[in-house]
Amino acid sequence: LPSILQLRHLEWTANKSASLGICKKHVLMRMISNGLRARRASELLVKDLHFGEVPVRIYLPRSPSASKRRGVILFHGGCGMYGSISKELKEKITWKVLSFISSRYRLSPEHRYPTQSLDCVTATTHFLRTAESYGVDPDRIIVCGDSAGGTFATSTCQELVNRTDIPKIRAQLLIYPFLQSLNFNLPSHQKNASIGLMSLERMVCFILMYLRKDCSLMEAILAGSHIPESMNLKYRKWIHPDLIPEKFKQDYKPPLPASYIPQVHEETKEMFDTRFSPLLAEDAVVGHLPDTCIITCEHDVLRDDGLLYKKRLEDNNVKVTWCHIEEGFHGVLCFLGYGIFSFPSNFCSLL
Ligand SMILES: *[C@@H]1O[C@H](CO)[C@@H](O)[C@H](O)[C@H]1NC(C)=O
Ligand SMILES: *[C@@H]1O[C@H](CO)[C@@H](O)[C@H](O)[C@H]1NC(C)=O
């Protein structure tokens, strides 16, 4: 199923991108049919291991190194339910950074939320503790993830801020992360640039499936009926269209006021854990986060989650590098390395 979904996603993306004039359909389709190339694979030593209970795949360069290497731990996207990471990303990172762990956290629905977040914390903690045995400098490890993997990367960094028994994470790289489920009426949600599989409805439905809830709750959630007014007031300082820069909300219209439905709130309570909505973390946590690189895409319903988190980090004096890909859409990472979408690789300077 994952590979079918991925192929459909790619094909759909190809059609859509072609119709938007982003790039030529045949070029994209050719890449898809060619599959992902295994360039440089022989230069890597790949090992499947377990960090605690969590399966991980480790990529180590075969060539010897005089000094300890930098390391990356990566959490793939796929709504916590499917997916694995793009081979191109692995190659790119491995090639640049040299040592690399991909955490294959256990998926929902077989493993109930928050197993995925806990697995990511376990894998990261283990890697920070044992880095030297892989030739990695424990003080130069970054945590990285795309989409739902970006959520896991964010919450992992938040959960580890106060830990003094393990080395500090050097930086976090968040690629179009999902970061909050309070407000689905932000400008980028309204824009609903549903390139790929990621329309607003589909996203909310995925969230509900991930939590093993019924998709019929979607309408109420989209309307905002899952949030009591007191909660909206409490968090408007962090999640509100007023916090989005003008240039990103040209066609934005404030939504109709929602009528609160307590049963829906009760059903969706997990959505307000900071693990699930890391934008709700207190300043005491956010202010201690490592250097951050956030990547947002213009054609992405999650664009504003990234913009809001960027603002929160900056307001808390965390060093943030921000890359906004004007022609990018959700899932654009799949095309990394094909030369059409070249990726701003300056995040590597964070290391
Ligand atoms: C870390 O410590 C601060 C107080 O210094 C506290 O407010 C915060 O909740 C703690 N965070 C976590 C994730 O334990
Ligand atoms: C979002 O886009 C999808 C696909 O184009 C469409 O079916 C849906 O009605 C749109 N939703 C909103 C709220 O605009």
Side-chain angles (χ1 to χ4, degrees):
L1 182 64
S3 57
I4 294 170
L5 262 181
Q6 208 164 21
L7 199 69
R8 268 198 47 118
H9 176 94
L10 289 171
E11 188 179 338
W12 213 83
T13 304
N15 282 326
K16 202 70 180 188
S17 320
S19 68
L20 285 175
I22 291 175
C23 60
K24 290 203 171 58
K25 183 180 171 192
H26 75 271
V27 179
L28 281 166
M29 289 313 288
R30 194 173 300 150
M31 293 173 192
I32 294 162
S33 55
N34 286 351
L36 298 159
R37 292 155 297 168
R39 208 160 19 104
R40 285 192 293 268
S42 62
E43 292 166 33
L44 296 173
L45 185 63
V46 181
K47 288 188 202 167
D48 284 324
L49 298 176
H50 278 78
F51 281 180
E53 272 188 282
V54 188
V56 298
R57 180 164 286 176
I58 303 195
Y59 301 82
L60 298 169
R62 288 183 191 276
S63 56
S65 164
S67 56
K68 278 182 280 181
R69 300 175 197 275
R70 295 167 289 180
V72 172
I73 181 155
L74 192 135
F75 307 125
H76 64 78
C79 308
M81 291 181 292
Y82 64 93
S84 62
I85 66 163
S86 136
K87 287 184 188 159
E88 288 292 343
L89 179 69
K90 280 186 285 208
E91 278 186 4
K92 202 90 163 187
I93 291 189
T94 312
W95 179 69
K96 282 254 188 203
V97 174
L98 307 175
S99 258
F100 172 54
I101 312 287
S102 146
S103 164
R104 308 159 88 199
Y105 52 81
R106 292 167 293 175
L107 300 176
S108 171
E110 295 83 349
H111 298 277
R112 193 180 250 288
Y113 164 85
T115 306
Q116 297 70 34
S117 323
L118 298 176
D119 278 1
C120 292
V121 172
T122 304
T124 306
T125 311
H126 189 103
F127 187 39
L128 289 165
R129 280 212 178 104
T130 57
E132 304 217 28
S133 58
Y134 303 102
V136 170
D137 180 350
D139 295 321
R140 296 173 88 192
I141 290 177
I142 76 165
V143 173
C144 163
D146 62 303
S147 194
T151 320
F152 301 139
T154 308
S155 68
T156 297
C157 289
Q158 289 186 355
E159 292 201 25
L160 296 180
V161 283
N162 291 349
R163 291 280 291 268
T164 50
D165 57 326
I166 45 173
K168 289 254 172 267
I169 294 166
R170 176 66 191 85
Q172 53 177 347
L173 166 59
L174 313 175
I175 304 170
Y176 35 75
F178 167 87
L179 297 172
Q180 60 88 26
S181 32
L182 240 71
N183 187 334
F184 292 104
N185 279 290
L186 294 171
S188 64
H189 297 127
Q190 268 191 14
K191 201 170 140 180
N192 189 18
S194 52
I195 305 175
L197 284 176
M198 202 56 162
S199 72
L200 182 57
E201 283 83 354
R202 197 175 282 270
M203 177 177 78
V204 173
C205 205
F206 272 143
I207 292 171
L208 288 165
M209 280 161 63
Y210 171 60
L211 293 174
R212 303 205 221 175
K213 308 284 177 192
D214 200 294
C215 269
S216 61
L217 293 168
M218 181 180 77
E219 294 291 329
I221 291 172
L222 285 177
S225 299
H226 62 317
I227 308 291
E229 190 51 23
S230 59
M231 201 166 174
N232 270 326
L233 286 174
K234 176 171 177 198
Y235 290 116
R236 61 165 293 145
K237 58 184 176 185
W238 297 335
I239 302 173
H240 196 274
D242 287 354
L243 307 169
I244 304 288
E246 271 320 307
K247 69 176 267 224
F248 292 110
K249 50 179 187 186
Q250 277 156 6
D251 300 315
Y252 177 73
K253 293 183 196 66
L256 297 171
S259 49
Y260 174 54
I261 309 176
Q263 303 90 298
V264 177
H265 179 72
E266 209 47 48
E267 267 291 291
T268 55
K269 272 206 156 126
E270 289 145 313
M271 287 167 62
F272 316 116
D273 294 351
T274 51
R275 256 187 210 130
F276 200 88
S277 292
L279 250 164
L280 304 184
E282 294 299 324
D283 285 336
V285 173
V286 176
H288 290 99
L289 287 169
D291 291 356
T292 303
C293 174
I294 297 186
I295 293 175
T296 51
C297 290
E298 183 55 32
H299 306 283
D300 181 5
V301 289
L302 291 178
R303 180 197 69 190
D304 295 350
D305 282 23
L307 295 179
L308 291 175
Y309 203 54
K310 167 181 180 280
K311 180 167 182 348
R312 284 217 59 203
L313 290 159
E314 286 170 347
D315 289 348
N316 281 283
N317 302 314
V318 175
K319 191 170 149 204
V320 181
T321 309
W322 172 51
C323 306
H324 183 65
I325 308 179
E326 273 301 333
E327 69 277 27
F329 49 86
H330 199 82
V332 70
L333 205 62
C334 303
F335 301 105
L336 183 68
Y338 284 112
I340 293 179
F341 301 105
S342 58
F343 201 77
S345 58
N346 56 349
F347 70 80
C348 286
S349 64
L350 276 174
L351 290 166

